[in-house]
Amino acid sequence: MKIRRFITDFIITFVVTLIVTAGLTYIWEGAFNWETAFRFAIIFGIVFPSVNALRNK
C-alpha cells in the first residue's frame, strides 16, 4: 500500500464525511453534533481507503 495515496484518500474521505455528517446532524437535531461528525469521519477515513487499497492489490 502506498502511504501517500492512503493519506490523500484518508483526508478526502475525512473532510467529505465530516461536512456531510455535521450538516445532517444540524438538519436532524437543529445543532451541530461535532462529536458524532468527527467519530464517523475518523472511522470512514480509515476504513474506506483501507478497503480500496486491499481491493486494488
Side-chain angles (χ1 to χ4, degrees):
M1 173 178 0
K2 297 184 180 191
I3 192 71
R4 184 178 172 113
R5 178 70 181 178
F6 180 80
I7 291 172
T8 304
D9 289 346
F10 173 83
I11 291 171
I12 292 170
T13 306
F14 182 87
V15 170
V16 170
T17 305
L18 183 69
I19 292 170
V20 169
T21 306
L24 288 175
T25 57
Y26 180 76
I27 291 170
W28 189 261
E29 298 177 8
F32 291 108
N33 189 345
W34 293 109
E35 181 181 346
T36 302
F38 276 110
R39 185 179 303 135
F40 274 112
I42 290 171
I43 292 169
F44 290 149
I46 293 171
V47 171
F48 288 157
S50 297
V51 170
N52 192 27
L54 291 173
R55 189 178 54 180
N56 292 331
K57 253 187 167 175

